[in-house]
Amino acid sequence: MKFFSLRGVIYALVIVLGLLSAVPNVLPTSLQQRLPQWYTQNQLALGLDLQGGSHLLLSADTQPLLDKTFNDMKESLLSDLRKAGIHYQVKSAKQHTLVLSFHGASAQRQQMWDVISAYRYDTNGQPQYTVAENGEGYTVSLTEAYETRLVADALDRSVEVVRRRLDETGLVEPSVSRQGNDGVLVQMPGVTDPSRIRELLGTTAQMQFHWVAEAGEKVATVTIPDSNNTRQYRLEKRVAMEGEHIKDAQLAFDPNTGNPVVNFKLDSVGGRIFADMTRSHIGETLAVVLDNKVITAPVIRSVIGASGGEISGQFTASEARDLALMLRAGALPVPLTVIEERTVGPDLGSDAIKMGLITGLIGAALVLAFMVTLYRRWGLIACLSLSINMGLVFGILSLFGATLTLPGIAGIILTLGMAVDANILINERIKEESRKGRGAGAAISAGFNKAWATILDSSLTTLIAVSLLFLFGSGPVKGFAITIGIGLFTSMFTAIAVTKMLMQWLTRKREREALQFPGVAWINELGRKRVNFLRGRMIGLTVSAVLSVASVFLFFTPGLHYGVDFTGGTLVEVNASDVSLDNLRTALANEGVTDASIQAFGENGDYLIRVPSVELSDPTEQAAAQSQQVALVKGAVTSLDDNASFPRVDMVGAKVSDGFADASILAILIAGGGILLYLWVRFESHFALAATATIALDLTKTIGFFAVTGLEFNLTAVAALLALIGYSINDKVVVFDRIREGFRMSPDKPIEDVLNSSISATLTRTLFTSVTTMLALLPMGLAGGASVASFALPMLFGIIIGTSSSIFIASPILFYLGKRREKNGLKQIRPTAEEVRMSLAHIP
């Protein structure tokens, strides 16, 4: 009892702390003002799909940075060799590798090595370049480690520059973070038209000052056009001063012409440099170069110091203001190109919140009512456990500062349905132990012990699929994975900390009495009946194979309705009540958008317009072309209806869509491999093969469902497939765990008898879990709208397929594999450690 009390205190403390972490999410504003700020700020943030806003994914072009680093090293090294009087020849300088041949006296060869070796490491002792002899001289190459450090540093600095630029615009709480190896993710709540932000972030703002080369002057030069591409300037290649010394820049107006200009001030170092160089070049022309374009080239009339100067050009006031902003925020170390853009209007976000809340509450109410109907007072305990489980999920998400998205709400609803499985397993196991005549205490203890191994196996296999969602997913899909993952751990915890503890507490004075499970009479008898499920094994396998083969054909013809996540391109959701489909098509054609597909949906005047991806080799030009597509579509719609709204805009480049496709295929393959390996270790090879083959059949049928229904196949659909893998394997593990137990208890019993009795024993749990998960998802599938249709509907279909395959497909496959194993003289399961120890003890 002391141990029981100690556990109870610890469990209660964890639960109270978890629930307190969730409370700030539901506190009224008036009460929040009276509580400490550190506590009230512990809340879930709403994703852009729930509050409205824009999401930009920018890709960094790091090749120019690496090229410049290599060229700077090359020029510096060759200069050092010349200063040392060493004769050499450059054999080649490409792909970040410099090949030099030595042509001096043999005594100088060591001196050449010493000069080159000075470039091998940076000031911190980190390797920069490899140096190797090549027979004639030396080969100097940029190391991969140095490239990685350069790129990482450039991306970190890019994030800071982007954040400063957004702060200068006055945006409220923008989120800027690194994404992958070369991406920067920008999320801007409340921004429904990110066109200006896109231009600000897509401009590198690398400013340099070059002297204009005089005619006949023998210096290294470069030719750079002006901003309008109407004139070419011949400039000295040497940079007179970098723009990094500009400490302030402001919009102003020329007092003589009234044209917008940018006044800038320099820091102390830049002031000295600028004063020195202008003092010695009075009367010469200084070109101001911004991103390889000459924006102005004034003649220097006097010495200019730290007070700075004026940048004039053919600016509008808006362009001059943005230029000043970018100069204040600093230049990007690498060019950034928008490769993905998603915008959600505030009305669509509020509708999503309302939909998620209503469907989630309805689903939860249906699940709780079902549990009470099944188990009465024990069902009430399960309901309390589930409620605490949901509170802990919200508490942990709040503690981590997670962002709640629409897929995250779907994950919470699915977590509720799957968390019921642990409680059903426990109740069914306790019910079985009670039927054997055990008292309440013994039945609860034995039931929990037997259910726990199954709960652990099923949770871990589901966790494999969910972890891959997190690793290979992006944005909202990761949020879905985190929610499911946390839900798996909290459901295991509440099964022990709430369900078991409450059952033991309620029966503490009646431990020797038999437990009663009133429930529904015919349901209670369901698990006692023994049915020969394997009798129709050939029919089941044949029907499954035919449906899977048909689904494969449907995958190719007519194929899946891929979303822009996989095809690339632009999707614009339009709400224009007074516009007909024909008029909209005509208006788009007049704007030059002839390859758009238009789909009417929802209420009258709701359309989805899809424009294929623009295939251009230059990513910057491609991003600009896609942005122009969005502008043309919006222009065509507003020409027909000035009050038209655009609740959602998605723009995905080819690079992103290709990455999504590769990551999705890889995630599904690794999920299958991971589950196969886990079951191979925990069970036996034929168990693992049977489960994996059945999962493959389930997936093909679900893909066929997408092809038949025409549902959009997007990232949410991939999340559904991976969630389905986790759910379906969870179902198989429960059945297989009972089969393994049957083989251990009756090793000489025929395989078909063990399989039939095991399926019958777990039938109520299999059906109940499927029903509760369907009840949790059904409201979202029926009323969730297009945003979650690609998740909820396939999951509902997959639950039906997964449940039936656990009974009619997985077990027959296991039967045939078991027969083959039996023929080879192998046992169906490996002996336990205890069995091995006992057998060794009997050896004389």
Side-chain angles (χ1 to χ4, degrees):
M1 289 304 295
K2 288 182 180 179
F3 177 65
F4 179 83
S5 300
L6 179 61
R7 280 191 303 161
V9 170
I10 294 173
Y11 290 158
L13 186 61
V14 172
I15 291 169
V16 169
L17 290 175
L19 295 180
L20 284 175
S21 179
V23 166
N25 292 286
V26 295
L27 286 178
T29 306
S30 58
L31 187 56
Q32 287 187 19
Q33 294 172 350
R34 303 176 190 173
L35 296 173
Q37 190 176 15
W38 62 265
Y39 178 63
T40 57
Q41 286 182 342
N42 187 56
Q43 296 185 32
L44 282 169
L46 294 180
L48 296 182
D49 54 353
L50 295 180
Q51 64 173 319
S54 295
H55 149 124
L56 298 176
L57 179 61
L58 302 105
S59 176
D61 182 6
T62 57
Q63 193 61 40
L65 171 68
L66 299 176
D67 291 343
K68 182 178 183 302
T69 301
F70 174 75
N71 289 330
D72 289 347
M73 180 278 299
K74 183 187 73 172
E75 295 298 329
S76 177
L77 173 59
L78 298 184
S79 175
D80 288 348
L81 291 175
R82 287 193 296 270
K83 289 177 182 177
I86 299 172
H87 297 283
Y88 65 88
Q89 181 181 355
V90 177
K91 304 291 288 184
S92 67
K94 55 186 179 181
Q95 297 180 345
H96 304 156
T97 298
L98 175 65
V99 180
L100 299 173
S101 60
F102 175 69
H103 292 282
S106 58
Q108 288 187 316
R109 192 175 183 90
Q110 181 61 40
Q111 187 180 1
M112 183 179 186
W113 168 261
D114 292 340
V115 171
I116 296 175
S117 295
Y119 288 83
R120 295 172 65 189
Y121 301 96
D122 61 15
T123 55
N124 296 320
Q126 297 292 321
Q128 296 183 119
Y129 299 91
T130 59
V131 181
E133 293 193 37
N134 58 24
E136 299 179 356
Y138 298 99
T139 299
V140 185
S141 301
L142 195 65
T143 65
E144 289 187 10
Y146 189 37
E147 287 185 2
T148 302
R149 294 201 305 275
L150 285 171
V151 170
D153 176 67
L155 280 173
D156 289 340
R157 288 187 288 131
S158 296
V159 167
E160 291 305 314
V161 171
V162 168
R163 186 175 288 117
R164 287 198 298 269
R165 289 187 184 181
L166 293 177
D167 290 342
E168 289 278 356
T169 65
L171 285 180
V172 179
E173 297 183 353
S175 170
V176 185
S177 59
R178 284 185 56 176
Q179 179 96 344
N181 295 326
D182 62 352
V184 176
L185 177 64
V186 179
Q187 293 182 308
M188 300 166 288
V191 175
T192 56
D193 184 6
S195 55
R196 176 171 177 258
I197 304 298
R198 188 194 313 119
E199 292 175 5
L200 279 178
L201 302 184
T203 303
T204 309
Q206 289 277 6
M207 179 167 282
Q208 298 172 330
F209 296 88
H210 292 256
W211 293 108
V212 175
E214 301 291 337
E217 188 178 5
K218 294 183 178 180
V219 293
T221 62
V222 292
T223 302
I224 297 177
D226 65 3
S227 56
N228 296 319
N229 290 317
T230 58
R231 179 181 173 184
Q232 297 288 329
Y233 286 85
R234 182 170 169 266
L235 309 179
E236 291 185 9
K237 187 175 183 180
R238 182 181 61 86
V239 178
M241 192 182 77
E242 295 282 358
E244 62 188 18
H245 295 294
I246 295 176
K247 70 174 183 179
D248 189 25
Q250 298 292 336
L251 165 69
F253 292 91
D254 190 303
N256 298 317
T257 64
N259 293 330
V261 296
V262 175
N263 289 334
F264 66 89
K265 294 182 180 180
L266 301 170
D267 58 22
S268 57
V269 176
R272 288 195 299 270
I273 295 173
F274 212 59
D276 291 342
M277 73 184 210
T278 53
R279 183 180 295 110
S280 59
H281 289 79
I282 292 177
E284 296 184 23
T285 304
L286 180 65
V288 181
V289 180
L290 180 70
D291 292 343
N292 291 319
K293 298 282 187 179
V294 176
I295 57 175
T296 186
V299 176
I300 301 301
R301 302 296 183 189
S302 61
V303 177
I304 304 173
S307 59
E310 175 186 287
I311 301 173
S312 60
Q314 297 180 351
F315 302 131
T316 64
S318 176
E319 290 170 342
R321 185 183 297 108
D322 287 347
L323 175 58
L325 182 155
M326 289 184 286
L327 292 178
R328 289 196 303 272
L332 287 167
V334 289
L336 297 178
T337 303
V338 177
I339 57 174
E340 181 184 350
E341 175 185 323
R342 301 180 191 271
T343 301
V344 177
D347 292 339
L348 189 62
S350 61
D351 290 344
I353 294 175
K354 184 178 179 181
M355 178 279 302
L357 184 62
I358 292 174
T359 57
L361 290 175
I362 293 174
L366 291 174
V367 170
L368 298 181
F370 184 75
M371 289 298 291
V372 173
T373 303
L374 283 180
Y375 301 113
R376 303 296 167 87
R377 61 173 177 167
W378 309 116
L380 286 173
I381 291 176
C383 291
L384 178 61
S385 176
L386 292 172
S387 301
I388 293 174
N389 183 22
M390 290 296 101
L392 292 177
V393 170
F394 278 102
I396 294 172
L397 289 173
S398 300
L399 189 64
F400 290 158
T403 299
L404 184 64
T405 62
L406 201 55
I409 292 176
I412 290 172
I413 295 172
L414 183 60
T415 296
L416 175 65
M418 296 178 69
V420 176
D421 181 48
N423 285 275
I424 290 176
L425 272 170
I426 291 166
N427 277 284
E428 290 299 313
R429 279 291 197 173
I430 294 173
K431 191 189 295 185
E432 287 181 24
E433 296 303 318
S434 297
R435 287 172 183 161
K436 295 176 182 177
R438 291 178 182 262
I444 291 173
S445 179
F448 264 93
N449 290 338
K450 290 183 177 180
W452 181 248
T454 307
I455 293 171
L456 187 62
D457 280 332
S458 60
S459 296
L460 288 176
T461 50
T462 305
L463 198 60
I464 291 173
V466 169
S467 61
L468 291 166
L469 264 179
F470 180 79
L471 290 174
F472 295 98
S474 63
V477 175
K478 281 193 173 184
F480 170 81
I482 290 172
T483 304
I484 294 288
I486 291 174
L488 285 172
F489 286 109
T490 55
S491 65
M492 286 192 288
F493 171 75
T494 52
I496 296 296
V498 180
T499 307
K500 184 178 182 180
M501 293 285 286
L502 283 178
M503 282 187 163
Q504 289 177 330
W505 183 76
L506 286 175
T507 59
R508 66 191 185 283
K509 295 180 180 179
R510 297 179 289 113
E511 290 190 354
R512 296 185 182 276
E513 296 179 14
L515 286 175
Q516 298 297 320
F517 285 84
V520 181
W522 68 268
I523 291 179
N524 288 335
E525 294 299 320
L526 188 61
R528 299 186 182 184
K529 296 180 180 178
R530 292 295 177 262
V531 181
N532 187 359
F533 290 100
L534 291 179
R535 183 170 52 190
R537 57 183 177 273
M538 286 305 300
I539 296 175
L541 290 173
T542 302
V543 171
S544 177
V546 169
L547 290 175
S548 292
V549 170
S551 296
V552 172
F553 278 107
L554 289 171
F555 173 75
F556 292 103
T557 305
L560 302 182
H561 180 209
Y562 292 104
V564 292
D565 293 332
F566 292 104
T567 62
T570 303
L571 182 144
V572 181
E573 184 176 328
V574 176
N575 179 256
S577 56
D578 298 329
V579 177
S580 68
L581 184 62
D582 291 336
N583 289 341
L584 180 56
R585 186 174 283 111
T586 302
L588 289 171
N590 292 337
E591 292 287 344
V593 185
T594 56
D595 52 355
S597 64
I598 308 171
Q599 175 189 349
F601 76 102
E603 299 178 0
N604 183 38
D606 291 340
Y607 301 101
L608 287 177
I609 301 175
R610 290 180 174 84
V611 185
S613 177
V614 179
E615 298 295 337
L616 296 173
S617 57
D618 189 307
T620 304
E621 293 179 1
Q622 180 170 342
Q626 286 193 275
S627 300
Q628 180 65 18
Q629 282 182 339
V630 175
L632 291 174
V633 169
K634 288 185 175 181
V637 176
T638 52
S639 68
L640 298 173
D641 183 358
D642 291 336
N643 298 319
S645 61
F646 306 93
R648 180 164 65 111
V649 177
D650 290 347
M651 188 184 77
V652 180
K655 177 182 177 181
V656 175
S657 60
D658 291 345
F660 283 155
D662 294 342
S664 300
I665 294 171
L666 186 62
I668 291 173
L669 290 177
I670 295 180
I675 290 170
L676 175 68
L677 180 63
Y678 180 83
L679 293 178
W680 200 299
V681 173
R682 283 288 291 160
F683 289 80
E684 282 289 349
S685 59
H686 55 313
F687 283 85
L689 292 173
T692 307
T694 309
I695 293 296
L697 293 171
D698 291 348
L699 283 180
T700 54
K701 295 184 189 73
T702 308
I703 290 174
F705 174 78
F706 275 102
V708 170
T709 59
L711 280 173
E712 185 176 291
F713 193 83
N714 48 29
L715 283 182
T716 308
V718 175
L721 290 180
L722 285 169
L724 178 60
I725 290 176
Y727 177 84
S728 188
I729 199 65
N730 175 78
D731 222 23
K732 275 74 179 162
V733 166
V734 172
V735 178
F736 283 2
D737 187 73
R738 184 60 69 95
I739 292 172
R740 178 176 59 179
E741 183 181 315
F743 280 136
R744 186 156 285 135
M745 292 176 62
S746 307
D748 299 326
K749 199 173 182 179
I751 296 177
E752 53 266 38
D753 290 349
V754 173
L755 266 58
N756 281 323
S757 61
S758 299
I759 298 171
S760 299
T762 56
L763 184 61
T764 51
R765 172 266 155 202
T766 301
L767 295 178
F768 293 167
T769 299
S770 300
V771 170
T772 52
T773 310
M774 288 188 70
L775 288 175
L777 287 172
L778 193 60
M780 178 170 280
L782 295 177
S787 301
V788 292
S790 294
F791 174 83
L793 295 180
M795 275 302 300
L796 288 169
F797 174 81
I799 289 170
I800 297 172
I801 291 295
T803 302
S804 60
S805 67
S806 297
I807 299 171
F808 300 108
I809 309 301
S811 297
I813 293 176
L814 181 62
F815 170 77
Y816 287 114
L817 291 175
K819 280 291 188 182
R820 188 181 68 174
R821 188 180 180 89
E822 192 177 68
K823 215 178 263 188
N824 293 331
L826 299 173
K827 291 186 176 181
Q828 297 299 325
I829 55 170
R830 67 174 70 93
T832 63
E834 180 66 18
E835 289 172 341
V836 171
R837 188 186 64 80
M838 291 182 65
S839 62
L840 291 175
H842 286 87
I843 297 176

